Amino acid sequence: QNLLKYAAVNSELAGSAVRALKRLLWYLCPEMIPLAIFSDTVPKSELQHLADKLVSVKPPDELKLPQDRYGTGFGKPKFPDTITETTRLGDLVTGDSWFIVQLLEMNMDFLDDDIENWPGHPSFLILKEKMTCLNVVNDSAERNVKLISDFLEAARSEEHYHNILQVVENCR
């Protein structure tokens, strides 16, 4: 949101930064949004809006897989189409936001309680501790590191190394 506002000052720089951030939109796909509840940096007004929206879109218990994906079943999640200066975390919530809750078997009964009481709620405390232990893995970056290490030994020079990487990238 700040980058969108900064576009009024320097549109070229802001545009470049926004394009870079769009590669990280998986953080904002509906399935990941509920994890923001456990962040200490999200303002309470945002948390309340997020909790209200989650409660309002809770799907039936028998719904086990995300519904709004490209492909079938475990296809690629749909990222937000547009993020504006007024977009809030709760605006990104869909019924699929409950998938991670079901997948991680999270007890979200504290959502019915007042937001001020969450820090003392037993299920919130347990989940917050578990969420801080989750590791973020960027599969794309790890694949690229593996690709580089595979071809590093085959290169005879720095130029040859870059040529190999370009050929492999074009073939992929």
Side-chain angles (χ1 to χ4, degrees):
Q1 290 173 334
N2 289 338
L3 282 173
L4 295 173
K5 292 174 188 173
Y6 186 69
V9 176
N10 187 335
S11 61
E12 186 177 341
L13 183 60
S16 177
V18 166
R19 281 189 299 280
L21 284 176
K22 283 186 176 181
R23 291 190 293 267
L24 301 173
L25 283 179
W26 68 274
Y27 284 111
L28 297 177
C29 70
E31 292 93 345
M32 301 306 290
I33 291 294
L35 298 180
I37 287 175
F38 305 101
S39 172
D40 294 327
T41 61
V42 177
K44 289 190 179 193
S45 61
E46 282 296 312
L47 288 176
Q48 187 64 60
H49 183 250
L50 177 56
D52 292 343
K53 187 68 186 261
L54 271 170
V55 170
S56 72
V57 300
K58 186 172 182 182
D61 287 336
E62 63 271 2
L63 188 62
K64 298 294 181 198
L65 293 176
Q67 301 299 302
D68 194 21
R69 291 202 169 214
Y70 296 106
T72 58
F74 283 102
K76 180 180 175 184
K78 292 186 179 179
F79 301 133
D81 293 329
T82 56
I83 305 266
T84 67
E85 293 177 23
T86 59
T87 302
R88 300 174 71 185
L89 287 173
D91 299 334
L92 305 173
V93 170
T94 69
D96 287 348
S97 298
W98 283 91
F99 176 66
I100 196 161
V101 172
Q102 293 170 344
L103 183 69
L104 298 177
E105 298 177 356
M106 299 166 64
N107 179 1
M108 301 289 275
D109 62 349
F110 61 88
L111 289 177
D112 296 327
D113 205 353
D114 184 61
I115 193 169
E116 298 296 329
N117 297 334
W118 287 4
H121 203 285
S123 62
F124 178 81
L125 293 171
I126 291 168
L127 289 174
K128 184 168 176 86
E129 184 177 337
K130 287 181 180 180
M131 295 306 112
T132 57
C133 295
L134 281 179
N135 290 324
V136 176
V137 177
N138 185 336
D139 289 338
S140 177
E142 288 185 11
R143 279 194 303 271
N144 287 332
V145 168
K146 172 73 169 125
L147 176 68
I148 288 169
S149 64
D150 286 347
F151 289 99
L152 184 60
E153 294 174 13
R156 289 177 230 124
S157 67
E158 184 73 20
E159 183 181 353
H160 188 234
Y161 174 68
H162 288 285
N163 289 340
I164 290 172
L165 290 179
Q166 287 176 350
V167 168
V168 171
E169 180 67 29
N170 287 336
C171 289
R172 289 175 83 199

